[in-house]
Amino acid sequence: MSAFNAVRFRVKPGRDQVFLDAHKSIAEAWPGLVHANIIKTGDRAYCLIAEWPDMDACVAARPAMIATLNSFRDTLEDLGNGLGVTDATAGTVVLAPK
């Protein structure tokens, strides 16, 4: 069954384009990636949602995802509450109504 990961970010003022540009090559850089979108959820707030063929593929791509994060980490604000600069989660699909 497919798996998804979602990562929430808050970008420092004036750094939005650098943040977005850092994600332009993830299709080639993240092995196994099926589809990905970055959505803007508020002022300087974004969420990346990525689809994988299964959870094993998502886990295997973590080093590549971390490498991408490291390339733009300086553009991010700390989210607070001990989260650091990202709030990430992942899991397998349990219901696909459409």
Side-chain angles (χ1 to χ4, degrees):
M1 184 62 80
S2 295
F4 285 80
N5 74 302
V7 185
R8 188 168 59 95
F9 308 92
R10 183 158 175 89
V11 179
K12 292 177 182 175
R15 305 298 305 273
D16 296 69
Q17 196 57 54
V18 175
F19 166 78
L20 293 170
D21 288 346
H23 290 89
K24 287 186 176 178
S25 63
I26 63 173
E28 298 83 29
W30 296 0
L33 179 67
V34 173
H35 192 82
N37 287 291
I38 296 177
I39 59 172
K40 188 167 185 171
T41 59
D43 183 38
R44 298 183 292 114
Y46 297 89
C47 185
L48 179 142
I49 302 169
E51 181 179 4
W52 305 90
D54 53 40
M55 200 62 207
D56 289 340
C58 180
V59 170
R62 283 182 183 159
M65 289 188 275
I66 292 168
T68 300
L69 171 62
N70 287 338
S71 77
F72 67 88
R73 186 180 294 272
D74 66 313
T75 71
L76 303 176
E77 288 186 353
D78 191 294
L79 296 172
N81 297 321
L83 290 172
V85 295
T86 65
D87 182 12
T89 191
T92 56
V93 173
V94 296
L95 177 67
K98 182 176 178 184

